[in-house]
Amino acid sequence: MNGIMIQGTSSDSGKSFIVTGLCRLFSDMGLKICPFKSQNMSNNAYVTHDNCEISTAQALQAQAARLTPETFMNPILLKPKHDKSSEIILNGRVFHKPAEKNYYREFAQNQGIQAIRESLKYIHENFSAIIIEGAGSPAEINLNAHEIVNMRVAREANVPVILVSDVDRGGSLASIVGTLELLGQDRERVKGIIFNKFRGDINLFNDAVEWTQNYTGIKVLGVLPFMKEINLSGEDSLTLQNFYHAKNISRKNINIGVIKYPGIANFTDFDSFKYESDIDLIYVNDCKDLQKFDAIILPGAKNTLSALEWLKESGLDNAIKNFHGFIFGICGGLQILGFLEILPISTSFDYSGKITRQISGFLANDNSIKISGYEIHFGRTIYNYNQDFSALFSITDKNFNTASPEGITNKNFSLAGTYIHGIFDNDEFRAYKTLKKLQSTQYNKYALRER
């Protein structure tokens, strides 16, 4: 195939960032370029136009390549349920067995590799070139016999590999040399090296570049600077390092706390806040001083009931109930607000299947505020609308002929929830109904809530 593969010496080395950038670069050059990651492990998922799931990272790369996100760009998505089991999404749909114990190896060498080959064949026949992203490190020798995401895929596609190392984390020279030493015959496939996330005077790194090229015999293609202004969606919740402590709270800004329970899902829902200069978004995992926040958001959860149990064990359930600022729940967070009896809703898990769909509509009480997003969830929720609570959104069908209520809010929009992922990506909604509300009530939080 025409193309390249970007692999890293570690997780979070910058593979996704580089693939995304190359997709836009080659698209600007007029090439019909396709991003591809054979298997991703992440609870951040995107719903395609045909109601299938892929990783948000590959959806973003597709958009960078000016393409509609499709399942062949990410045929396997593993969504961790707990430490020893993951839900398998194969070609966008839930596979009948989870990835646990020894079953995953059987799946990888049968249904998994077959789906990868079919996707590669389709891309080869319909695109000018492919840019493949690896996962973790290709030097995990304990996994090499069964891996279907690094050198196995490079061999299947017959493409050269560029190796990326994170200078910021330290030890980049050793990680490059060590990785190459452990690759065996696949070492010959590596045709270039990129140092990523470099801080400081580039001239001080020239000796390291020269040494690397002389020692390995592989050309260093570039040294990329550390760019704080680049905020691509993370795949792993380990990337969420901004936990709450006293110095995070700024009296000048609006402080939003996102409850980080185990199994947090689709935390990409909050990426848009990174670009708001007067917003500090802080991930919270304890109940200390919760009242110092202007707003709290309960995000999605891979397992709602496990997240609910953790909230009760940590004492955050009562802290949320007694919170006097703005409360918003998304997906699993919406369900939890019902289980905590904060919202008048009831959710049942009848195992009738997962709901995945793209959504568009408008604010229920202001049809000039258009919204769009997508749903990914198990469970069915009944909204018990009454004189104090009403629908948050009105969702239209594809032909805009009918509309149905979705989500729930109290009368003064201080307590609300929805199933719609990506809801804060809607600029008009985020600014008009959220930030504006918080700005006007920031220093009068105890008057905000009306239960």
Side-chain angles (χ1 to χ4, degrees):
M1 298 180 68
N2 292 326
I4 55 173
M5 185 170 191
I6 307 298
Q7 297 184 10
T9 59
S10 66
S11 295
D12 201 33
S13 60
K15 298 183 294 292
S16 295
F17 164 69
I18 291 173
V19 171
T20 304
L22 289 175
C23 282
R24 178 48 60 95
L25 175 65
F26 289 131
S27 176
D28 286 345
M29 295 170 61
L31 291 176
K32 190 178 180 183
I33 196 78
C34 184
F36 180 76
K37 187 164 185 173
S38 58
Q39 174 183 287
N40 208 329
M41 177 173 280
S42 177
N43 275 326
N44 287 337
Y46 174 87
V47 174
T48 61
H49 64 94
D50 51 353
N51 298 331
C52 292
E53 291 182 74
I54 65 171
S55 167
T56 54
Q58 276 62 68
L60 179 62
Q61 290 163 2
Q63 292 163 2
R66 297 183 173 89
L67 300 173
T68 300
E70 302 276 4
T71 55
F72 59 78
M73 300 170 183
N74 176 213
I76 303 170
L77 175 61
L78 303 180
K79 304 183 76 172
K81 296 192 291 186
H82 49 75
D83 289 346
K84 296 182 180 180
S85 180
S86 295
E87 179 187 40
I88 299 175
I89 307 297
L90 179 63
N91 292 324
R93 303 293 185 186
V94 177
F95 190 64
H96 66 278
K97 282 189 177 182
E100 58 188 12
K101 296 183 179 178
N102 294 324
Y103 176 72
Y104 173 71
R105 292 184 175 183
E106 177 186 336
F107 166 82
Q109 301 309 310
N110 292 280
Q111 297 97 332
I113 193 63
Q114 181 61 32
I116 291 167
R117 287 169 176 163
E118 290 172 358
S119 293
L120 289 174
K121 182 176 184 294
Y122 181 85
I123 293 170
H124 175 64
E125 294 173 348
N126 291 276
F127 291 86
S128 303
I130 188 172
I131 303 181
I132 305 174
E133 179 183 345
S137 164
E140 306 290 350
I141 57 175
N142 57 311
L143 302 177
N144 282 351
H146 304 282
E147 69 93 5
I148 53 172
V149 70
N150 283 312
M151 283 299 180
R152 174 75 178 274
V153 176
R155 293 193 298 270
E156 291 281 346
N158 192 23
V159 294
V161 170
I162 296 174
L163 191 62
V164 181
S165 183
D166 179 358
V167 180
D168 190 54
R169 72 172 65 220
S172 60
L173 299 182
S175 67
I176 287 172
V177 172
T179 298
L180 291 171
E181 287 296 317
L182 291 172
L183 287 181
Q185 293 182 345
D186 285 322
R187 186 187 191 282
E188 298 301 315
R189 197 171 286 277
V190 180
K191 303 301 182 183
I193 294 169
I194 294 176
F195 288 101
N196 192 28
K197 304 181 187 179
F198 178 79
R199 300 175 189 255
D201 184 353
I202 189 63
N203 293 317
L204 299 178
F205 201 66
N206 289 339
D207 290 345
V209 170
E210 183 178 356
W211 182 91
T212 301
Q213 293 184 143
N214 291 337
Y215 188 88
T216 66
I218 301 172
K219 184 174 179 58
V220 174
L221 301 178
V223 180
L224 301 181
F226 188 97
M227 292 180 279
K228 291 197 301 183
E229 67 275 15
I230 301 298
N231 289 302
L232 296 187
S233 303
E235 296 176 355
D236 193 321
S237 61
L238 291 176
T239 62
L240 303 180
Q241 299 296 331
N242 192 20
F243 285 112
Y244 163 72
H245 46 81
K247 72 176 184 179
N248 288 125
I249 297 295
S250 167
R251 294 184 61 86
K252 295 181 180 179
N253 288 350
I254 298 168
N255 295 284
I256 300 177
V258 177
I259 307 300
K260 187 182 181 295
Y261 21 70
I264 182 174
N266 281 77
F267 54 83
T268 51
D269 284 338
F270 316 115
D271 284 353
S272 295
F273 288 120
K274 297 175 183 178
Y275 303 99
E276 299 285 355
S277 60
D278 57 351
I279 292 288
D280 285 333
L281 190 76
I282 301 165
Y283 287 88
V284 184
N285 62 353
D286 62 51
C287 57
K288 180 182 178 182
D289 296 329
L290 199 65
Q291 294 293 350
K292 289 186 177 181
F293 289 94
D294 301 297
I296 57 174
I297 301 175
L298 280 71
K302 181 56 184 168
N303 189 316
T304 297
L305 297 181
S306 293
L308 178 63
E309 182 180 357
W310 178 84
L311 287 172
K312 292 179 177 179
E313 291 175 352
S314 67
L316 266 167
D317 61 330
N318 287 324
I320 293 169
K321 290 178 181 179
N322 295 319
F323 183 70
H324 292 284
F326 179 86
I327 297 179
F328 197 91
I330 302 178
C331 197
L334 165 72
Q335 295 171 345
I336 288 171
L337 290 176
F339 288 123
L340 293 178
E341 298 183 347
I342 295 174
L343 283 176
I345 64 174
S346 56
T347 300
S348 62
F349 298 97
D350 56 9
Y351 303 100
S352 59
K354 178 185 285 189
I355 295 175
T356 57
R357 62 169 179 159
Q358 291 192 347
I359 279 181
S360 61
F362 49 86
L363 202 63
N365 64 355
D366 186 347
N367 61 14
S368 69
I369 306 297
K370 302 292 191 292
I371 60 97
S372 64
Y374 52 94
E375 285 187 41
I376 309 175
H377 65 90
F378 288 98
R380 304 297 193 275
T381 294
I382 296 175
Y383 302 102
N384 299 307
Y385 301 131
N386 53 47
Q387 61 181 4
D388 297 316
F389 288 87
S390 59
L392 179 57
F393 301 115
S394 185
I395 304 305
T396 55
D397 63 14
K398 291 183 178 180
N399 297 318
F400 299 96
N401 292 325
T402 60
S404 57
E406 198 283 333
I408 189 168
T409 179
N410 63 351
K411 288 187 292 187
N412 70 342
F413 191 68
S414 62
L415 174 59
T418 179
Y419 269 118
I420 304 176
H421 291 294
I423 189 61
F424 293 119
D425 293 340
N426 295 274
D427 294 341
E428 287 186 325
F429 171 75
R430 189 178 70 252
Y432 178 72
K433 292 300 293 184
T434 307
L435 301 189
K436 185 176 179 181
K437 182 73 177 180
L438 289 174
Q439 288 164 345
S440 65
T441 58
Q442 186 177 9
Y443 301 108
N444 191 23
K445 290 185 290 185
Y446 287 86
L448 179 61
R449 297 291 299 285
E450 290 181 5
R451 294 275 185 91

